Amino acid sequence: MQPGQTLNDRMPGRKSPPTSIHDVNLDVLENTLSFYIRSINYAVSRDLDDCLKGCEVARGSGKITTLLLTDSHRGIRPSVLAQLLMTDKSGMTRIIDQMVGHGLIERRTSPTDSRAHELYVTEKGARLASHVRVVATAQSEAFFSDMPESDKGELLRILRAAYRRIVGLPND
Amino acid sequence: MQPGQTLNDRMPGRKSPPTSIHDVNLDVLENTLSFYIRSINYAVSRDLDDCLKGCEVARGSGKITTLLLTDSHRGIRPSVLAQLLMTDKSGMTRIIDQMVGHGLIERRTSPTDSRAHELYVTEKGARLASHVRVVATAQSEAFFSDMPESDKGELLRILRAAYRRIVGLPND
DNA sequence: TATTGTTATACTCTATAACTATA
DNA sequence: TATAGTTATAGAGTATAACAATA
């Protein structure tokens, strides 16, 4: 046991066990960005799922992005989506399979490269995309509504830059 | 089809399909906080899992927090951890079961309320907690190392406040 | 030989509801 | 009747590796 030790800091005078979150400190997680990202993700994702209940794109990461970008980028390729979703080819196949299964998008073989696919939304997919655009925007707005406006702006700027850096997009 | 429409904005002059992420814009997600939180979570969680490979607390949310807080808060209750993790009782049981199974923590019945449990780390758990403290801190630091210092400070302040608001802790 | 996708598998998390025991 | 936890189950995501077809 060493630097940031504990096991209750070597068992000093036994304190009574904490029975409320107000008696607790977050240890090193208090200052750990990844902890807060992960925790808030958990909450915001569940809230989003609630808002999209029964919507065929609820749950998990990738379906909303896939639907929206397929709707707004005619013929977008699975490999492009995979990069933006930071997932691999097999994960992308699974997401597309689901959406094809729900009649939201369709696959066509690229006329310029027979290995590649092009993705297109169906009419049903386009309708759902319109709906999801509204819901996803409103959900995020509502979820962070208690945050000061200036903080929301800062947060968006900082996270946007981080995301673009991670996936390899230029930070214009 | 309406306000933020598309299906490629009503199929204008067919553009060639985007084959690179540089040809893509993020639609409404471009300005949606929840999108960035979810995307960055995905990346940071996988990176953290890599750093903790084989560590008995890799994967999923909650195990790291459970281990660290059990180590630093003698006798902490599952219900308190569940609140901090924003999970429910059954999810908490699963996490604790795993950690007990790995010999990291143990359950005792509270002497003051026979319904409640108190959690304690084992020696093995304390050793792992020390290790995880170092790894989790270093991983977060490394993952966000490309971010300007001032942005890191702002991000921590904003996310910390958001987390505390969500779980019901005061924003001191 | 590298790239675009698909398939298969094993593992884990998530959500829900029903249940036990104690206060 | 409410609270602290446990159990059971169905559905879904995740990671890996092996595979097929085309460039």
Side-chain angles (χ1 to χ4, degrees):
Chain A
M1 199 137 292
Q2 271 287 25
Q5 56 173 246
T6 77
L7 198 162
N8 289 278
D9 294 318
R10 315 186 82 113
M11 311 174 152
R14 175 189 182 82
K15 288 168 281 188
S16 65
T19 57
S20 156
I21 56 175
H22 301 287
D23 303 329
V24 169
N25 72 71
L26 296 176
D27 205 297
V28 301
L29 303 177
E30 183 72 44
N31 297 299
T32 303
L33 275 176
S34 63
F35 168 75
Y36 291 116
I37 290 282
R38 285 157 55 86
S39 299
I40 294 170
N41 166 72
Y42 195 75
V44 79
S45 291
R46 267 200 307 202
D47 185 55
L48 180 56
D49 285 343
D50 283 348
C51 293
L52 290 171
K53 204 146 226 167
C55 245
E56 296 172 318
V57 290
R59 295 287 173 94
S61 33
K63 282 182 278 200
I64 293 172
T65 306
T66 297
L67 179 64
L68 261 46
L69 296 196
T70 302
D71 181 48
S72 55
H73 298 78
R74 174 177 308 291
I76 194 171
R77 294 203 183 157
S79 56
V80 173
L81 286 170
Q83 282 181 272
L84 294 169
L85 299 180
M86 300 178 275
T87 190
D88 60 12
K89 302 182 289 185
S90 70
M92 201 63 238
T93 296
R94 180 177 46 78
I95 292 172
I96 296 171
D97 278 349
Q98 290 177 14
M99 312 201 66
V100 170
H102 286 128
L104 299 170
I105 68 182
E106 52 182 53
R107 282 187 256 240
R108 303 179 195 162
T109 300
S110 165
T112 62
D113 183 342
S114 319
R115 295 173 305 181
H117 288 170
E118 294 178 353
L119 303 177
Y120 294 86
V121 286
T122 62
E123 273 301 329
K124 177 182 176 188
R127 277 195 304 276
L128 183 56
S130 294
H131 177 60
V132 167
R133 244 173 225 112
V134 174
V135 173
T137 305
Q139 185 273 338
S140 184
E141 183 63 36
F143 187 87
F144 293 102
S145 61
D146 288 350
M147 187 177 286
E149 280 303 320
S150 60
D151 281 2
K152 273 192 274 193
E154 274 293 274
L155 187 56
L156 185 65
R157 176 185 67 76
I158 295 170
L159 293 182
R160 179 175 181 277
Y163 170 79
R164 297 180 73 88
R165 176 173 52 72
I166 294 170
V167 302
L169 281 170
N171 251 301
D172 44 26
Chain B
M1 199 137 295
Q2 270 288 23
Q5 56 175 249
T6 77
L7 198 161
N8 289 279
D9 294 319
R10 317 185 81 115
M11 313 173 151
R14 175 188 181 82
K15 288 168 280 188
S16 64
T19 57
S20 157
I21 57 175
H22 302 287
D23 303 329
V24 169
N25 71 70
L26 296 176
D27 204 298
V28 301
L29 302 177
E30 184 73 42
N31 296 298
T32 303
L33 276 176
S34 63
F35 168 74
Y36 292 115
I37 290 282
R38 285 157 54 88
S39 299
I40 294 170
N41 166 73
Y42 195 74
V44 80
S45 292
R46 267 202 307 203
D47 184 56
L48 180 56
D49 285 343
D50 283 347
C51 293
L52 290 172
K53 202 147 227 167
C55 246
E56 297 171 319
V57 291
R59 296 289 172 93
S61 33
K63 283 182 276 201
I64 293 172
T65 306
T66 297
L67 178 64
L68 262 46
L69 295 195
T70 302
D71 181 49
S72 55
H73 297 78
R74 176 177 306 293
I76 193 170
R77 294 205 183 156
S79 56
V80 173
L81 285 170
Q83 283 182 272
L84 294 169
L85 298 180
M86 300 178 276
T87 190
D88 60 13
K89 303 183 289 185
S90 71
M92 201 61 239
T93 295
R94 180 178 46 77
I95 292 172
I96 296 171
D97 278 349
Q98 290 177 13
M99 312 202 65
V100 170
H102 286 128
L104 299 170
I105 68 182
E106 51 183 52
R107 282 187 254 239
R108 303 180 196 161
T109 300
S110 165
T112 62
D113 183 343
S114 319
R115 294 173 305 181
H117 288 169
E118 293 179 352
L119 303 177
Y120 294 85
V121 285
T122 62
E123 272 301 329
K124 177 182 175 188
R127 278 196 303 278
L128 183 55
S130 294
H131 176 61
V132 168
R133 243 171 227 114
V134 175
V135 174
T137 305
Q139 185 273 337
S140 184
E141 183 63 35
F143 188 87
F144 293 101
S145 62
D146 287 350
M147 186 177 286
E149 280 303 321
S150 59
D151 281 2
K152 274 192 275 193
E154 273 293 274
L155 186 56
L156 185 65
R157 175 185 69 74
I158 295 170
L159 293 182
R160 179 175 181 276
Y163 171 79
R164 298 179 73 87
R165 176 172 53 71
I166 294 169
V167 302
L169 282 170
N171 251 301
D172 43 26

